[in-house]
């Protein structure tokens, strides 16, 4: 819930860093699974990012709406 999030810049950066670390960890786990199954060598793996995250811009902490430039471009 956005209301429960600490909106101080340092804390927002910490939340973002934690989310990135969790994403990288999940990705690495998937690579490990492919390797364990002998599939990694013959598999094309594509890692894509989404449209971004609001970290206090426009007073918001989210990545769904409104469609502001920070999320769209």
């Amino acid at each position: 819930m956005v209301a429960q999030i600490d909106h101080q810049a340092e804390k927002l950066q910490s939340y973002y860093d934690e989310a990135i670390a969790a994403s990288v960890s999940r990705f690495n786990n998937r690579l490990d699974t492919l390797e364990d199954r002998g599939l990694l060598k013959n598999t094309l793996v594509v890692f894509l990012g989404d449209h971004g995250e609001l970290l206090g811009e426009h007073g918001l902490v989210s990545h769904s709406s409104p469609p502001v430039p920070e999320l769209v471009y």
Side-chain angles (χ1 to χ4, degrees), residues 27 30-31 34-35 38-48:
F27 180 74
R30 286 170 176 82
L31 291 178
L34 288 170
E35 187 169 26
L39 300 171
L40 185 58
K41 186 175 179 179
N42 296 314
T43 301
L44 173 65
V45 178
V46 180
F47 185 84
L48 300 172

Side-chain angles (χ1 to χ4, degrees), residues 8-71:
Q8 293 181 356
E10 299 82 21
K11 195 61 178 170
L12 292 173
Q13 183 65 47
S14 175
Y15 294 145
Y16 189 70
D17 291 344
E18 290 169 13
I20 290 172
S23 179
V24 169
S25 178
R26 286 189 303 271
F27 180 74
N28 285 330
N29 287 341
R30 286 170 176 82
L31 291 178
D32 290 343
T33 299
L34 288 170
E35 187 169 26
D36 292 345
R37 294 178 181 179
L39 300 171
L40 185 58
K41 186 175 179 179
N42 296 314
T43 301
L44 173 65
V45 178
V46 180
F47 185 84
L48 300 172
D50 72 2
H51 50 76
E53 186 83 24
L54 288 174
L55 296 174
E57 298 88 353
H58 309 282
L60 301 168
V61 179
S62 70
H63 70 275
S64 58
S65 64
V68 296
E70 293 85 352
L71 298 179

